[in-house]
């Protein structure tokens, strides 16, 4: 599609591919990128020019964010899962045009987009997979001498199923609060939102 055929706003669909977003950002600098991962994940690597508003904080501040960004708002996380949750919360607050980046930050970088790197940490989703797998493996090994340890394996498995059905993850929230996932100076949610320029369509 040549430039004369391109629409003048983001597609009216709920997702956008990394390749499409790279092209859009080159042509429309006013695209607002909202990264809903934890501050630690954002510090490790994030899309250049994006703003960090963690998903857990968004629940209480979705209206404030919805009132600030315009129709070219793109929600970003590690894979698209948390960004989809953020999209639903913003839609409930009246912003129905927020778009989810499929594949998250890794896909954007692979597509040639510019990212900023800092202190390296595992993403929360990767930590959840490692922790859940480790708990299940250890409990099954312990079951050889203490059968009741299998309860842990069943509990973790049930938790993962519930997380999938409810589109939420308690283990992820717990891990995000761990010391290794904290940054030295993390701004408050209000400060994060106020750092986002008000979209011209909102003025």
């Amino acid at each position: 599609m040549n430039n004369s055929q391109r629409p003048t706003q983001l597609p009216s669909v709920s997702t956008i591919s990394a390749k499409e977003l790279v092209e859009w950002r080159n042509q429309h600098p006013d695209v607002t990128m909202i990264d809903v991962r934890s501050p630690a994940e954002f510090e490790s690597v994030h899309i250049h020019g994006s703003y960090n508003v963690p998903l857990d904080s968004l629940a209480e501040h979705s209206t404030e964010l919805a009132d600030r960004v315009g129709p070219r708002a793109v929600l970003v996380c590690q894979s698209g899962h948390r960004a989809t949750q953020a999209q639903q919360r913003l839609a409930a607050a009246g912003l129905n045009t927020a778009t989810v980046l499929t594949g998250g930050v890794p896909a954007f970088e692979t597509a040639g987009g510019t990212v900023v790197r800092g202190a390296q940490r595992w993403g929360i989703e990767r930590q959840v997979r490692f922790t859940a797998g480790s708990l299940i493996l250890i409990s099954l090994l312990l079951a050889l001498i203490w059968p009741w340890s299998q309860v842990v394996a069943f509990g973790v498995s049930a938790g993962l199923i519930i997380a999938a059905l409810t589109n939420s993850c308690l283990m992820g929230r717990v891990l995000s609060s761990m010391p290794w996932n904290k940054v030295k100076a993390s701004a408050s949610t209000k400060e994060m939102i106020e750092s986002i320029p008000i979209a011209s369509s909102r003025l």
Side-chain angles (χ1 to χ4, degrees), residues 120-194:
Q120 295 302 297
R121 300 177 179 86
W122 280 9
I124 294 298
E125 294 172 14
R126 186 179 182 184
Q127 291 183 43
V128 167
R129 292 193 294 270
F130 178 81
T131 303
S134 297
L135 288 173
I136 292 174
L137 178 60
I138 292 172
S139 66
L140 292 178
L141 290 175
L142 287 176
L144 297 175
I145 57 176
W146 186 48
W148 278 103
S149 67
Q150 296 181 70
V151 173
V152 175
F154 284 114
V156 173
S157 299
L160 293 174
I161 293 172
I162 293 172
L165 293 176
T166 61
N167 201 26
S168 63
C169 184
L170 176 60
M171 186 180 291
R173 292 197 295 272
V174 171
L175 287 171
S176 66
S177 65
M178 293 293 103
W180 59 84
N181 284 321
K182 297 294 185 182
V183 295
K184 291 183 178 179
S186 180
S188 67
T189 302
K190 182 178 180 181
E191 291 172 330
M192 291 176 181
I193 293 176
E194 290 180 347

Side-chain angles (χ1 to χ4, degrees), residues 77-149:
C77 65
Q78 191 67 19
S79 64
H81 177 73
R82 282 173 284 177
T84 299
Q85 294 181 56
Q87 182 187 54
Q88 295 167 350
R89 293 177 183 180
L90 288 174
L95 181 66
N96 298 308
T97 56
T99 305
V100 171
L101 171 63
T102 57
V105 176
F108 184 82
E109 183 178 18
T110 300
T114 303
V115 299
V116 178
R117 294 188 179 281
Q120 295 302 297
R121 300 177 179 86
W122 280 9
I124 294 298
E125 294 172 14
R126 186 179 182 184
Q127 291 183 43
V128 167
R129 292 193 294 270
F130 178 81
T131 303
S134 297
L135 288 173
I136 292 174
L137 178 60
I138 292 172
S139 66
L140 292 178
L141 290 175
L142 287 176
L144 297 175
I145 57 176
W146 186 48
W148 278 103
S149 67

